[in-house]
């Protein structure tokens, strides 16, 4: 991909920034990705292994977002549009759509409507039985790739009364539609992702064949909610790529900027800030990878895992991006032709990611609904090395559930903390690491206690519940970090080499500790650890590299 990212290439930074300035779609860049077969990651496979492939898909989205977030949003939308078919379509529908996706078809997902936002139950687009199929009428609005897509997966009201069983999913193909039965709505100017096709589509008694129905009538909302469990995790790749890009810009600025006769990279508080941001990336990587792997190994628990990832990862990454913006100062706002002008774009682009596929508030509300079940969790006797390993055989998508009855990953934080203590006693980890792991384990038990005692009236959820949800997310992050480190110890090799680093684990847990309630903090200082991590980052940039866990399996196209 190096030629494409070089001067004059379709993925070159200058070309993509120019398109953003002009609010133009990155057509050449998406065409290049199609030409090299990137769409293969969006297609279902003959064995229906969509769950096991989620880590690789997420890694691809991260790779694209690291180059340009608008490009990632524009190209990866086809997966989001097609995923409902992978989850609920029959064999013929999956095979047919997979062939079209591999051939370059663009698929969009028509969920939201003007005036209703994320309230899917208020949707007014309706489909009625008509002859040998359906008649579709209404408008979908603020839809990514609504104009450019050939196919749109539409959530439509199929019962006048609506309700949870009153909606169905239909795959609308513009290429086979009668003229005058659909029309494109204008592109909507946006603050970030300026070149993306954020528009809409209107239907006027558009006829669809019976084969356009995805799943059974009335299951549209259920299928949508199950599909979101996959797309929310994939969307976290956008945040990872954006923060990785920001770290490159911040580290390079610190390496080259001199102030009062000293490089910024030599100033202690700036070094610690860079190290903390890299540690934050590692935490976000661990959460994202864990959630992606659980899709295949603990499929019925994805309602919780995906909500945790989508709420926490974009938030953590935006905090770190903002910190790097403070380092860049005025250069973080400039759009003129200068070395760091890409920052203002990635910062603008990333601010929409927390809204995609369920906002942070929506995902935390979902966690709050799980409190009675999550409060019953208890530490397991041992940690399961296979929980985040590549499964020999993927689970079936039918195991996706709207309600997770447990969270196996957090249940294993206790025994993982004990394992880390043993490793430290053997001299293989610094003494501070087990203290941090134990603090996170104690925080998890306290969080479960708070979950159990909280109660509220319908539609009157207190702010404390959302605070407890975030604390649970942080405990999930601690368990994911410890689990990946333990997995690297059990299965050492080139791919897991970064996971063996005590700097990585200690710094990741330090970032998490700093966000837990005061009573669960160890009182340890972490300046030296963040300084050490900053040096790893700066050394990598000297070699034009970027340190990463890279545990998702895709490092290049």
């Amino acid at each position: 991909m190096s030629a494409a990212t070089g001067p004059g290439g379709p993925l070159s930074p200058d070309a993509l920034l120019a398109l953003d300035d002009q609010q133009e779609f990155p057509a050449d860049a998406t065409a290049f990705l199609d030409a090299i077969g990137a769409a293969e990651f969006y297609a279902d496979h003959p064995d229906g292994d969509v769950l096991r492939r989620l880590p690789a898909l997420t890694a691809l989205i991260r790779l694209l977002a690291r180059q340009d977030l608008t490009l990632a949003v524009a190209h990866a939308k086809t997966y989001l549009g097609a995923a409902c078919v992978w989850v609920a379509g029959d064999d013929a529908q999956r095979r047919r759509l997979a062939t079209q996706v591999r051939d370059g078809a663009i698929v969009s997902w028509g969920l939201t409507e003007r005036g209703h936002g994320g309230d899917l139950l208020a949707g007014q687009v309706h489909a009625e039985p008509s002859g040998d199929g359906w008649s579709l009428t209404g408008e979908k609005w603020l839809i990514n790739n609504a104009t450019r897509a050939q196919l749109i997966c539409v959530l439509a009201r199929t019962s006048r009364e609506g309700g949870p069983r009153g909606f169905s999913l239909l795959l609308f193909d513009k290429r086979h539609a009668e003229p005058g039965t659909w029309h494109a709505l204008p592109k909507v100017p946006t603050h970030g992702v300026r070149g993306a096709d954020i528009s809409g589509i209107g239907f006027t008694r558009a006829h669809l064949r019976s084969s356009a129905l995805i799943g059974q009538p009335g299951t549209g909302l259920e299928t949508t909610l199950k599909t979101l469990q996959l797309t929310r995790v994939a969307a976290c790749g956008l945040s990872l790529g954006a923060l990785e890009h920001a770290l490159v810009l911040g580290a390079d600025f610190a390496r080259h900027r001199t102030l009062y006769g000293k490089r910024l990279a030599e100033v202690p508080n700036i070094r610690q800030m860079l190290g903390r941001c890299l540690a934050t990336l590692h935490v976000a990587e661990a959460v994202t990878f864990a959630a992606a792997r659980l899709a295949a190994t603990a499929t019925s628990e994805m309602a919780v895992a995906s909500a945790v990832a989508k709420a926490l990862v974009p938030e953590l990454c935006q905090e770190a991006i903002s910190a790097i913006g403070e380092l860049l100062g005025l250069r973080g706002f400039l759009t003129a032709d200068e070395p760091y002008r890409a920052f203002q774009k990635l910062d603008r682009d990333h601010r929409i990611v927390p809204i995609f596929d369920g906002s942070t508030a929506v995902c935390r509300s979902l966690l709050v609904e799980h409190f009675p079940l999550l409060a019953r969790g208890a530490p397991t006797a041992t940690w399961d090395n296979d929980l985040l390993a590549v499964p020999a055989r993927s689970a079936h998508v039918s195991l996706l559930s709207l309600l997770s009855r447990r969270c196996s990953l957090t249940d294993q934080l206790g025994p993982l903390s004990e394992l880390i203590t043993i490793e430290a006693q053997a001299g293989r980890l610094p003494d501070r690491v087990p203290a941090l792991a134990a603090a996170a384990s104690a925080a998890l038990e306290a969080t479960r206690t708070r979950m159990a005692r909280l109660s509220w009236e319908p539609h009157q959820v207190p702010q404390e519940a959302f605070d407890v949800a975030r604390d649970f997310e942080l405990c999930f992050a601690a368990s994911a970090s410890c689990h990946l480190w333990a997995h690297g110890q059990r299965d050492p090799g080139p791919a897991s080499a970064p996971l063996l680093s005590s700097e990585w684990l200690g710094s990741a847990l330090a970032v998490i500790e700093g966000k837990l309630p005061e009573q669960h903090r160890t009182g340890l200082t972490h300046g030296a650890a963040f300084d050490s991590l900053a040096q790893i980052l700066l050394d990598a940039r000297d070699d034009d590299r970027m340190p990463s866990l890279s545990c998702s399996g895709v490092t290049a196209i």
Side-chain angles (χ1 to χ4, degrees), residues 224-240:
T224 295
L225 295 177
K226 289 179 178 179
T227 303
L228 284 169
Q229 294 174 16
L230 307 181
T231 62
R232 283 173 177 154
V233 177
C236 291
L238 299 171
S239 292
L240 298 182

Side-chain angles (χ1 to χ4, degrees), residues 264-280:
L264 291 182
E266 299 170 1
V267 178
N269 66 317
I270 290 176
R271 291 175 61 88
Q272 290 178 25
M273 183 278 291
L274 288 172
R276 186 179 295 106
C277 288
L278 179 57
T280 300

Side-chain angles (χ1 to χ4, degrees), residues 234-254:
C236 291
L238 299 171
S239 292
L240 298 182
L243 177 52
E244 199 166 15
H245 190 180
L247 273 165
V248 167
L249 296 173
D252 290 352
F253 181 72

